[in-house]
Amino acid sequence: MQTAADADDAATLLAAVPAGRRVALVDPRFVGHVHALRLGLTDPRFAAATVPGALTAQPEARGALLRALRRTTAAVGAGAPVVAPDTDPAPDDRTVPGRIAVVLEAEGTAVKRPELGSLTATVPTDAGARATAESARDEVDDEAVRLRSAVKAHDGFFTTFAISPYSRYIARWCARRGLTPNQVTTGSLITALVAAGAAATGTRGGYVAAGILLLVSFVLDCTDGQLARYSLQYSTMGAWLDATFDRAKEYAYYAGLAIGAVRGGDDVWVLALGAMVLQACRHVVDFSFNEANHDAVANTSPTAALSDKLDSVGWTVWARRMIVLPIGERWAMIAVLTALTTPRIVFYALLIGCSLAACYTTAGRLLRSLTRRASRTDRAAQALADLADSGPLAQGVAAVAPGLRGAFTAPAAALLGTLVMIGGALFLPYGSWLTVAAAAVYVVLSGLAVARPLKGALDWLVPPFFRAAEYVTILVLAARSDAPHAVPAAFGLISAVAYHHYDTVYRIRGGTGAPPQWLVRTIGGHEGRTALVAVLAAVLTHAAGFTTALTALAVAVALVVLVESIRFWVSSSAPAVHDEGELA
């Protein structure tokens, strides 16, 4: 920390700071809470940020800050106003940091102004104002506000009332000992994997231990986000780890339960894979709908208005959050049923609960889409195209086929292709080449669905239909084969592919775009993988080679996807974020 004699001196001192460092300007008259300064000056997610009396800039905004400071100095020295004559700046914008923030915004640099709530941050101009500010500061417990703000504003009932009341104190304990959110996230993953191992023992003691450890893992899962918010340790890597580890924990636990059930004489691998497929499809519905509509123009509908009205009635908010079976309620149900019942009952409850939740959320989104008069942006259309995960076969069809015209033709083509593909896998004789013919029809319809920009009211359904077609086809063909261990091999393949799809989502959310096209082409796209599995089922009918082929495909996809994903996230220039997560 250095003290500048005046604005000219401040510019000199700032210019001398190494280029790769964050810098901050604080008015010496500042009165406020330490956490107010922390929110304004240490959040890594924003290139520039300000609170009354203080301003910060990351390395990428340093040049703009220096230019604004020099311009401000010159303007004040010349007696000219720093802001436009027809504006009436707030008192805090008359301080040097406030003036610079106004100039930065006028020149096109976004400046974040965090919500301070009950926290005090001001620059008093006389003794009376200073006494008032100090009194307001002393009346509010800075640490209590910091702890409350560590908890996610909108969360599920179980998480809000059964976890967050004490997990925030665990987060503070971790912060005071120098632990990072990524370390806590890793601890949560390890705990869940141990829980999966306990479930795989197939004993009652193992199931009880697994249920307890799964809840401990969830407490840590809540703690990592609270630690990030408490200490403002947001990072690109953290968002990726938090998102992908959640899926890895849940699906590893499903596998552990399936292994334990087999040891007890009950093969539930089909149920385990069905639960994973259903949950993954639910998520892609969430992702697609949000990407299609978050920046839509005229983004209103009567259904959304009704939802907003219901939000004003407290009990309906919690009821609707519980209906969708968010991760807290879901993991609590899994943990309790694991300890008290059998894996089969756990999976039945999951399938029933998630199916009802999927019907509720999808019906609401369909109503919103049909009643909303919105214009989708090019960015939304591109996001949906990326989420579709079309490979070279579908892209080839799209390149030579005329785009389907009509408001609902793209989702209709995707739905028809999905029904043809799943219907062929279910009802045609196993190993029949007619299933391969169904896959060829699916490829053509998939290409037709994406031949035009996905800007229709229901075009967000295209990626979920494709996910359902691929995942369910692999599940059905593996379940119908006589090859030993085919379903566990299919579990591994779908896990690898699902990782790729989740990775795509979080790259888009991070503002860096989808994975490179060479990756999508290498792993075949959804239609290529689906057709390949259909061919393998026809060629390797009633042979253990089908299991071997599924396993080899799973390993190949996992290796390519993981290597590229780790390379990207480790070296990513994506902005620092922390994933708040979907309730589901």
Side-chain angles (χ1 to χ4, degrees):
M1 181 183 296
Q2 299 186 59
T3 302
D6 52 32
D8 279 327
D9 189 26
T12 302
L13 292 173
L14 288 176
V17 177
R21 295 184 184 176
R22 174 201 289 268
V23 295
L25 286 171
V26 181
D27 193 298
R29 299 168 296 170
F30 175 86
V31 173
H33 289 97
V34 173
H35 192 52
L37 278 179
R38 187 181 292 113
L39 289 171
L41 303 183
T42 66
D43 195 323
R45 295 173 295 176
F46 311 109
T50 186
V51 294
L55 172 71
T56 185
Q58 297 263 42
E60 58 268 31
R62 285 271 303 276
L65 172 63
L66 277 173
R67 290 192 299 273
L69 176 56
R70 291 183 176 120
R71 178 182 167 188
T72 302
T73 303
V76 172
V82 177
V83 294
D86 59 344
T87 63
D88 183 19
D92 290 314
D93 283 344
R94 297 191 179 103
T95 66
V96 171
R99 290 173 183 272
I100 297 171
V102 171
V103 173
L104 279 172
E105 290 175 318
E107 294 182 347
T109 299
V111 180
K112 174 67 177 179
R113 300 174 185 267
E115 293 290 337
L116 299 181
S118 59
L119 296 175
T120 296
T122 188
V123 178
T125 56
D126 56 50
R130 186 174 190 84
T132 301
E134 290 175 345
S135 176
R137 179 194 62 193
D138 296 341
E139 287 176 358
V140 175
D141 186 340
D142 180 82
E143 181 61 18
V145 173
R146 189 180 181 190
L147 272 174
R148 285 197 303 270
S149 63
V151 177
K152 190 189 300 184
H154 304 287
D155 219 330
F157 182 88
F158 177 77
T159 304
T160 299
F161 295 104
I163 304 296
S164 292
Y166 59 87
S167 61
R168 69 184 75 179
Y169 295 100
I170 300 175
R172 182 172 66 181
W173 183 90
C174 292
R176 291 177 175 176
R177 282 152 185 80
L179 296 176
T180 67
N182 290 353
Q183 290 171 331
V184 177
T185 301
T186 302
S188 175
L189 173 66
I190 293 171
T191 304
L193 294 178
V194 174
T201 63
T203 64
R204 177 52 50 195
Y207 290 148
V208 172
I212 294 172
L213 288 170
L214 188 64
L215 288 177
V216 172
S217 175
F218 183 65
V219 171
L220 293 176
D221 184 57
C222 295
T223 300
D224 65 0
Q226 292 166 357
L227 174 58
R229 286 181 284 272
Y230 180 86
S231 57
L232 299 178
Q233 296 184 73
Y234 303 106
S235 69
T236 303
M237 177 69 75
W240 173 62
L241 290 178
D242 189 53
T244 55
F245 280 11
D246 277 352
R247 306 287 78 77
K249 288 181 287 188
E250 188 165 4
Y251 300 157
Y253 192 82
Y254 292 176
L257 281 176
I259 293 170
V262 170
R263 288 188 170 183
D266 187 15
D267 190 342
V268 296
W269 271 108
V270 171
L271 296 178
L273 184 50
M276 184 175 77
V277 167
L278 177 57
Q279 192 57 32
C281 289
R282 283 188 64 200
H283 278 137
V284 78
V285 168
D286 297 338
F287 299 144
S288 293
F289 180 81
N290 291 336
E291 288 301 324
N293 293 288
H294 86 280
D295 60 351
V297 179
N299 197 6
T300 59
S301 74
T303 308
L306 175 61
S307 179
D308 291 339
K309 289 182 180 179
L310 289 175
D311 283 343
S312 64
V313 183
W315 69 269
T316 67
V317 175
W318 295 116
R320 286 185 295 138
R321 290 185 188 178
M322 293 174 69
I323 287 173
V324 301
L325 204 63
I327 188 169
E329 277 75 357
R330 191 167 68 249
W331 282 27
M333 179 184 74
I334 294 171
V336 171
L337 291 179
T338 298
L340 300 180
T341 63
T342 65
R344 181 171 289 273
I345 293 176
V346 172
F347 288 124
Y348 280 152
L350 264 176
L351 289 167
I352 293 171
C354 289
S355 295
L356 293 174
C359 290
Y360 170 78
T361 55
T362 304
R365 284 164 182 168
L366 285 170
L367 286 174
R368 290 188 182 214
S369 299
L370 291 172
T371 58
R372 174 180 289 156
R373 295 179 179 178
S375 176
R376 268 70 183 188
T377 63
D378 291 338
R379 180 204 171 280
Q382 184 58 53
L384 291 179
D386 292 334
L387 290 173
D389 192 34
S390 299
L393 297 178
Q395 290 175 359
V397 172
V400 300
L404 295 172
R405 296 186 179 276
F408 308 113
T409 49
L415 175 60
L416 179 59
T418 298
L419 294 176
V420 168
M421 189 66 254
I422 295 177
L426 271 172
F427 301 114
L428 292 173
Y430 177 78
S432 169
W433 284 95
L434 290 175
T435 305
V436 178
V441 173
Y442 174 66
V443 168
V444 173
L445 290 171
S446 297
L448 293 176
V450 297
R452 292 174 63 85
L454 297 175
K455 291 187 175 183
L458 296 180
D459 284 0
W460 58 270
L461 287 169
V462 171
F465 285 149
F466 289 163
R467 294 299 83 73
E470 180 179 4
Y471 296 168
V472 175
T473 296
I474 296 172
L475 165 61
V476 170
L477 292 178
R480 294 187 66 193
S481 76
D482 291 334
H485 309 301
V487 178
F491 191 100
L493 174 57
I494 294 178
S495 297
V497 174
Y499 176 88
H500 163 62
H501 291 143
Y502 282 112
D503 186 52
T504 300
V505 166
Y506 287 100
R507 292 197 196 204
I508 294 172
R509 283 187 169 183
T512 58
Q517 274 298 302
W518 70 260
L519 176 66
V520 177
R521 289 194 297 267
T522 299
I523 60 176
H526 69 92
E527 80 291 350
R529 291 185 298 269
T530 304
L532 177 58
V533 172
V535 170
L536 291 174
V539 172
L540 303 172
T541 307
H542 306 304
F546 186 53
T547 300
T548 303
L550 289 179
T551 303
L553 183 58
V555 171
V557 171
L559 281 176
V560 174
V561 168
L562 280 172
V563 169
E564 161 57 20
S565 177
I566 293 171
R567 180 210 63 77
F568 170 80
W569 288 104
V570 169
S571 62
S572 176
S573 59
V577 295
H578 183 78
D579 175 51
E580 289 292 335
E582 302 294 332
L583 282 180

